[in-house]
Amino acid sequence: MLKALIWDVDGTLAETERDGHLVAFNQAFAAQGLAWRWSVEHYGVLLRVTGGYERLLLDMSNRADAPPEGAEREALARQLHQAKNRLYAEIVEGGAFPLRPGVARLIDEARHAGIKQAIATTTSRMNVETLLRARLGRGWADAFPVVIAGEDVSRKKPDPQAYRLAVQALGVAPHEAIAIEDSAMGCRSACDAGVPVVITRSVYFAADHVAGAIWIGRDLDTDDDGAPVTLATLQGWHERTTAARVPIS
Ligand code: XBP
Ligand code: MG
């Protein structure tokens, strides 16, 4: 039986990467007096590394004008990352982008049906809170009693730690939940924790090869037959998957 939904944030709830984090990174570079600018394409390459701080370090490792590897580089990355998150909050609060199709409806439906919900993300906690408060209103935390964010794990996705912590905090078995993700790395994280995964493809991972998901779609608005993806749809996919795993004696 489906008891919980565990939501990824970036790319899944909204197109936060292209329309939020990328814009904010470039604003942070400008505010710091740096001539660095990341294009939409370059950011797509950097997204292979999860975590904004880690992404900054990766980019700096390929720049001749970055501080040398070590304490100075790390301090600059930390400073830029904090500035980026402040600027990201301004962009989100300015209403620049909406939740993706079907997301608000499913969150609401699950909430009213008593299905537990959690967040499992590599992004920073303040980014989650800002986005959910801005898009769902002050009562957002009633729908999400469990939030596992980047600061809560020692190993970010694709490591399964975030999903392991989420199911533990929800008090459900991994197979009693569904993870909703947009990327192959997120899918691997949930799958390795034993949580069945539904993929709603985001702009950056539209053509990614994703292994192990129970459903892969363009968004959560409609299923393969053009019908709305409802809680009942998720329950049907979940039942089919878990039934298939029961050994026939
Ligand atoms: C996506 C990420 C994050 C964001 C930026 O997380 O990898 O790093 O790009 O957020 P998910 P931070 O898809 O798991 O939500 O700068 O706070 O890391
Ligand atoms: Mg994501």
Side-chain angles (χ1 to χ4, degrees):
M1 196 173 108
L2 179 63
K3 292 189 179 165
L5 298 184
I6 307 176
W7 296 83
D8 169 51
V9 173
D10 293 304
T12 296
L13 295 182
E15 289 291 359
T16 49
E17 298 291 12
R18 184 195 57 193
D19 302 336
H21 293 294
L22 171 60
V23 180
F25 273 117
N26 284 330
Q27 288 176 351
F29 298 147
Q32 183 72 22
L34 292 164
W36 307 347
R37 297 294 179 274
W38 289 349
S39 66
V40 170
E41 292 70 31
H42 182 56
Y43 193 61
V45 176
L46 295 176
L47 278 178
R48 302 291 152 190
V49 170
T50 52
Y53 169 76
E54 291 81 354
R55 214 165 280 147
L56 282 161
L57 287 180
L58 170 68
D59 189 60
M60 283 194 237
S61 70
N62 294 313
R63 280 184 186 278
D65 58 344
E69 194 178 355
E72 200 191 333
R73 185 183 292 177
E74 286 164 22
L76 178 60
R78 209 162 295 118
Q79 191 183 335
L80 285 168
H81 189 233
Q82 285 166 4
K84 184 277 286 179
N85 281 348
R86 283 194 296 274
L87 291 157
Y88 174 80
E90 284 175 23
I91 293 168
V92 169
E93 282 160 359
F97 51 83
L99 292 179
R100 295 188 59 204
V103 167
R105 186 191 59 225
L106 268 176
I107 291 173
D108 213 43
E109 221 190 319
R111 186 176 176 172
H112 285 103
I115 300 283
K116 296 177 178 183
Q117 295 186 84
I119 294 287
T121 174
T122 48
T123 201
S124 313
R125 180 168 293 272
M126 75 176 262
N127 296 339
V128 179
E129 294 177 353
T130 305
L131 180 71
L132 293 180
R133 194 185 321 110
R135 298 295 177 271
L136 298 179
R138 294 211 159 271
W140 71 269
D142 299 342
F144 293 102
V146 172
V147 175
I148 307 295
E151 296 90 333
D152 301 318
V153 294
S154 52
R155 295 176 306 278
K156 292 181 177 173
K157 297 175 189 176
D159 190 278
Q161 198 182 9
Y163 278 98
R164 288 198 179 128
L165 290 174
V167 290
Q168 239 169 49
L170 286 167
V172 301
H175 70 271
E176 293 172 327
I178 277 184
I180 307 178
E181 275 283 354
D182 68 308
S183 69
M185 285 178 300
C187 186
R188 208 173 105 204
S189 169
C191 285
D192 286 355
V195 180
V197 185
V198 161
I199 292 286
T200 166
R201 287 191 180 278
S202 60
V203 286
Y204 271 120
F205 301 112
D208 248 30
H209 172 70
V210 183
I214 62 172
W215 182 77
I216 302 176
R218 198 186 47 188
D219 57 40
L220 295 171
D221 197 25
T222 50
D223 66 11
D224 301 333
D225 302 321
V229 176
T230 62
L231 183 60
T233 317
L234 296 184
Q235 283 164 329
W237 292 337
H238 185 260
E239 208 170 298
R240 204 178 56 196
T241 306
T242 44
R245 280 183 187 168
V246 176
I248 299 160
S249 54

